[in-house]
Amino acid sequence: MMSYRRWPVGRGLLRMVFRWFFPGVPGRLLPGGVALGLVLAGMLAGCRSAPDEDILPELVDWGVHFHQAPADGTELATDEVRLVISPGTLDIGRVQAVVLRLNWTEPDPDMGVIAGDFEKRKELLELADQNPPLISFLLPLEGVPQGAPVRVGAFLELQEGALVPVKEPFTVTFELSLPQPGGLQEELLTIDPRPVLSWARDEAISAVEISLAGEREILVPGDGPGDDQVSLRPSRDILSSGELLRGGEFPWRLRSVSPRGVRGPWSEAGLIRYDLTESVPVSTGLRSGDRTVVSRPALVWAGVDGTSQYHLEYYLESEEHRLEGLVITEESRHRFSGEEAEFFSSAGAGATLRWRLRGENLRGTPTPWSDYHETEHLLLISALEPLIHPGAEAQVLLGAPRGTPGARPDEMPQVPVVLDGPLGVARTPLTVEAVAELFNQGLRSGELSLSGGRLVEVRQEVPLLALEGLDFGSQFGLREEVGATQGESRLGVVPGYRSHPAVGITWFGAVWLMNRLSLLEGRDQAYEIRGDEVFWDPRASGYRLPTEAEWALAAAARRRLPREGWAEPLVVFRELSSRDLRNINFLRSGDAWEDPLPPYTRAGGPTSPVGALTGAAPAGVQDLLGNVWEWCWDWYSPERGIPLPRNYAGPEEPAPDLYGRVLRVVRGGAWNTPREGLRPTMRGAFAPAAASHSIGVRPARGAAEYPPGEVQ
């Protein structure tokens, strides 16, 4: 029991003295003034002397004292404090309990400086391992603050109810180095009446006291939303459904609690905020003005904390069909299937998707509906070619044989590697039109910024695309334009280059594009970008860059792979035939888009439209050789270890080149690659932030699930 009060002692003392002089009169029946007069009269008259057996225990010096206790003024670094009380000349059989009273003052962030006290009664039978006549126990410390002087007093409670004080109360201060919790959410917008609260993990904190909505309680935190966080949920609702509709704000704090109840310093305040108008789900994928890009789009959104389910209302319209539906889901995305998926497969350009959302908490309290979003359905990326089916595997022989004329040292020797399915690779690189639309979606959402001819990711500040000042060459397919909103910049397509492969994309830009495609299909994103570091989750179902070995497999496959996989290794190296060369865009290839003089664009090139040349790809993957280099996932290393592990994805750490640069692999050659350098085993490498007029992007995906129409 912890309280903040003053002890009323005057009336009890008067009653005790009255009983001394007038033992036969029930003093509680007399008014206070009468009782006081009788007491004074009795004292003056000396009317009687009481026998020894009538003396109250409180007025007898029994010699009760602390046999073991901290010295007065001690500073303690532990909350394990053992007290031993000697009953002196008092018969231990008369004692039924020990009463402890602790007093202190402490600063409180909500109430200023407060006086606190704590009283604890411990039955003598509860105190185990006693050695009469001594009474031994651990000092209870529930609510005692760290760093504040605490006054400790004790009493023995006799069978008849009287209290005998223990002599020499003492003062101690606890300095346990209890940490101050940090990393609280500065503001949590929620519709959960009992929200999950999180803060930075500190292994020194095992329990906390939380102050919220005028009440305090002790809770044990659990794992938080991240590895570096812990969290808890209050044991009661903060507000009712009606109060939630009106909204409100609730500050909260917490402090650590030692195993025996000592409190550490209070944290800085966090804020829980309720506002239904600001709690409407927000689309994080397709928005009004976007085009779907993919064959079967999904709707993805973000709801505020405490949303237990979402209501999605949608309309699909084309010249020939109209579908509508209402979906209630606990997920923050919806992937169309069945009749809706068939609608997207059969609908041509000009079909529209219109939808709106609202959220709801566990109590059934809804948010308002969002505004309607409306997008145009337009397929801008090629289908995936299945290279390895689920459950199958393929072995590919990387590199060129030793001594191959013209081959560079980093191409040799030939090294086998086994790849597991499933694996699909896009049939063509991403076009200028597709890249412009994907990056424009990022600009409309505020995720990206375009300035000075450079497109960057705002939060991570990494370069994604260059329109001016490329590290190599100049941009010829994309340009900066003024958007519909005044002052808004957007990417535009240079006339004639809509279906050409996009260039000027950095490796970071390629990673961002893969994540965006995943978002548009409602898939788990494969990459997490943290500054200039990128982390790949191979288990994710989303789009990604092919590894160098996967790219080599696509180049080595001379026909579509059987579902059970290949028994023999697929060899990447081969001599290109005259027929092969007629279908590849390389330097002086004589293709229809080639202009041998800078800026190489007078004939509509130097790139050629994707798929216009078969690119020597009998397995269905086009433009693997020539046209543009293609970014791969791998760090570049001039040497490969032998043997290579299964599903080899490059070295774990980059190996700096002679200039100290760390590079990512590109494969395939480009429009400016000379004939003698055009080989399926040819390797290239560029800095991940570099932008070149000859590097493009080809998506891959390792998920077992393919949308209808993408895999035969």
Side-chain angles (χ1 to χ4, degrees):
M1 175 179 67
M2 184 167 61
S3 62
Y4 308 101
R5 64 182 187 272
R6 299 179 63 184
W7 298 337
V9 297
R11 184 176 302 174
L13 180 61
L14 175 61
R15 184 174 298 152
M16 181 183 68
V17 176
F18 177 85
R19 284 161 48 202
W20 174 277
F21 289 97
F22 303 95
V25 181
R28 64 179 180 275
L29 299 181
L30 296 176
V34 176
L36 180 59
L38 291 174
V39 167
L40 293 175
M43 293 175 64
L44 293 172
C47 61
R48 68 184 295 267
S49 60
D52 289 345
E53 59 267 21
D54 290 337
I55 297 176
L56 292 178
E58 295 95 322
L59 302 181
V60 176
D61 184 2
W62 302 100
V64 178
H65 64 280
F66 285 114
H67 180 75
Q68 177 182 322
D72 188 50
T74 301
E75 185 177 287
L76 300 174
T78 177
D79 59 359
E80 297 276 342
V81 180
R82 179 161 296 279
L83 298 182
V84 179
I85 297 176
S86 170
T89 59
L90 183 66
D91 183 2
I92 193 70
R94 297 181 62 184
V95 179
Q96 66 176 353
V98 176
V99 177
L100 290 153
R101 289 173 180 167
L102 285 68
N103 302 85
W104 66 88
T105 60
E106 63 172 314
D108 185 277
D110 300 322
M111 296 182 284
V113 178
I114 61 172
D117 67 72
F118 168 69
E119 182 174 301
K120 182 73 173 181
R121 182 179 183 276
K122 300 175 76 70
E123 292 280 350
L124 200 62
L125 295 177
E126 299 175 7
L127 305 178
D129 302 325
Q130 296 305 309
N131 183 22
L134 299 178
I135 303 171
S136 174
F137 55 90
L138 288 176
L139 177 63
L141 298 171
E142 185 64 35
V144 169
Q146 176 177 267
V150 179
R151 187 69 170 171
V152 179
F155 303 83
L156 298 185
E157 182 182 303
L158 304 186
Q159 299 290 346
E160 56 268 32
L163 295 179
V164 177
V166 180
K167 288 184 176 181
E168 298 180 358
F170 58 90
T171 299
V172 291
T173 303
F174 293 90
E175 292 291 351
L176 307 184
S177 299
L178 294 173
Q180 179 185 41
L184 277 69
Q185 299 158 287
E186 291 186 6
E187 182 177 301
L188 173 63
L189 179 64
T190 183
I191 60 174
D192 188 347
R194 194 160 63 94
V196 174
L197 305 175
S198 61
W199 63 94
R201 181 183 296 276
D202 189 328
E203 299 299 336
I205 300 176
S206 58
V208 295
E209 180 182 25
I210 181 171
S211 174
L212 172 62
E215 295 193 14
R216 296 177 179 180
E217 62 178 332
I218 296 177
L219 297 169
V220 176
D223 291 335
D227 294 339
D228 58 347
Q229 292 181 305
V230 291
S231 64
L232 59 77
R233 186 188 292 273
S235 62
R236 62 175 184 85
D237 287 358
I238 298 175
L239 72 180
S240 66
S241 297
E243 291 169 329
L244 196 154
L245 291 171
R246 294 190 294 272
E249 295 183 350
F250 297 88
W252 66 284
R253 300 175 187 268
L254 49 87
R255 57 180 176 177
S256 54
V257 179
S258 79
R260 296 195 55 78
V262 175
R263 304 317 201 245
W266 285 104
S267 69
E268 298 294 329
L271 183 68
I272 303 168
R273 192 160 64 87
Y274 294 92
D275 188 335
L276 289 178
T277 60
E278 295 187 24
S279 302
V280 177
V282 176
S283 176
T284 56
L286 288 169
R287 292 179 170 88
S288 290
D290 293 345
R291 294 184 288 181
T292 57
V293 179
V294 296
S295 62
R296 193 177 76 180
L299 300 179
V300 184
W301 57 87
V304 303
D305 178 81
T307 306
S308 61
Q309 64 179 19
Y310 301 91
H311 294 241
L312 167 66
E313 181 182 276
Y314 65 86
Y315 303 90
L316 306 173
E317 295 184 69
S318 66
E319 292 183 356
E320 300 179 354
H321 299 92
R322 185 179 192 274
L323 296 173
E324 61 181 69
L326 177 64
V327 175
I328 300 176
T329 177
E330 295 180 0
E331 297 187 1
S332 57
R333 61 185 172 185
H334 177 69
R335 300 182 67 185
F336 293 104
S337 60
E339 190 177 10
E340 292 85 0
E342 291 299 324
F343 171 90
F344 288 114
S345 298
S346 60
T352 59
L353 167 60
R354 189 166 177 261
W355 78 99
R356 65 174 183 168
L357 291 158
R358 70 175 174 86
E360 188 177 282
N361 69 10
L362 284 171
R363 307 290 192 272
T365 305
T367 71
W369 284 98
S370 71
D371 294 333
Y372 276 104
H373 297 273
E374 186 168 330
T375 64
E376 176 190 359
H377 178 53
L378 184 62
L379 179 61
L380 295 177
I381 66 169
S382 64
L384 294 181
E385 184 64 35
L387 295 181
I388 313 177
H389 292 280
E393 65 178 39
Q395 184 176 127
V396 60
L397 198 60
L398 304 177
R402 293 187 185 276
T404 299
R408 299 190 314 183
D410 66 348
E411 296 178 58
M412 302 178 288
Q414 289 180 303
V415 183
V417 63
V418 177
L419 301 175
D420 292 315
L423 171 65
V425 173
R427 291 169 184 163
T428 62
L430 292 180
T431 65
V432 171
E433 184 179 25
V435 167
E437 172 60 28
L438 292 168
F439 279 144
N440 279 333
Q441 290 180 12
L443 286 168
R444 282 190 288 269
S445 69
E447 185 179 350
L448 307 182
S449 173
L450 179 60
S451 177
R454 288 270 171 170
L455 183 73
V456 299
E457 207 274 348
V458 173
R459 186 164 51 91
Q460 305 295 344
E461 298 183 351
V462 293
L464 307 182
L465 173 75
L467 302 179
E468 302 172 7
L470 276 67
D471 299 275
F472 304 93
S474 59
Q475 179 66 255
F476 43 76
L478 292 162
R479 64 186 181 187
E480 184 174 352
E481 296 179 348
V482 178
T485 305
Q486 185 176 7
E488 176 189 50
S489 295
R490 64 185 299 275
L491 292 176
V493 177
V494 175
Y497 286 87
R498 181 178 63 84
S499 59
H500 285 237
V503 297
I505 305 166
T506 69
W507 183 85
F508 293 112
V511 164
W512 188 94
L513 290 167
M514 297 304 100
N515 275 353
R516 185 69 190 179
L517 289 174
S518 301
L519 191 66
L520 293 180
E521 287 193 2
R523 299 179 180 275
D524 297 328
Q525 294 181 340
Y527 299 123
E528 180 184 356
I529 305 174
R530 303 180 198 163
D532 60 356
E533 291 186 288
V534 177
F535 300 88
W536 170 29
D537 181 2
R539 301 165 298 177
S541 62
Y543 286 88
R544 58 179 177 81
L545 298 176
T547 65
E548 185 178 10
E550 291 169 344
W551 188 98
L553 173 65
R558 306 303 298 151
R559 60 185 175 85
R560 284 186 167 88
L561 273 68
R563 288 192 174 273
E564 63 274 13
W566 288 87
E568 69 279 2
L570 297 172
V571 181
V572 179
F573 177 80
R574 72 176 188 276
E575 296 288 349
L576 298 177
S577 66
S578 298
R579 181 178 179 182
D580 290 335
L581 293 172
R582 286 195 297 271
N583 292 301
I584 300 175
N585 179 356
F586 58 93
L587 186 65
R588 305 293 189 271
S589 63
D591 63 83
W593 298 271
E594 184 172 57
D595 178 8
L597 300 175
Y600 314 112
T601 57
R602 284 183 289 269
T607 54
S608 52
V610 299
L613 303 172
T614 59
V621 183
Q622 300 175 335
D623 293 327
L624 278 167
L625 296 181
N627 213 5
V628 291
W629 293 94
E630 296 172 5
W631 285 114
C632 295
W633 162 258
D634 310 42
W635 288 111
Y636 173 76
S637 174
E639 298 179 354
R640 296 190 184 99
I642 301 176
L644 294 179
R646 198 178 190 95
N647 300 312
Y648 177 67
E652 293 184 5
E653 298 292 335
D657 67 3
L658 293 175
Y659 305 99
R661 301 171 303 177
V662 291
L663 310 174
R664 293 281 184 174
V665 171
V666 295
R667 291 296 298 264
W671 57 268
N672 55 357
T673 301
R675 164 66 188 88
E676 58 271 17
L678 200 65
R679 292 180 303 278
T681 57
M682 179 72 171
R683 307 176 71 205
F686 288 82
S692 169
H693 60 169
S694 61
I695 303 178
V697 181
R698 183 187 301 270
R701 200 174 67 226
E705 179 188 356
Y706 294 88
E710 289 197 5
V711 177
Q712 303 298 323

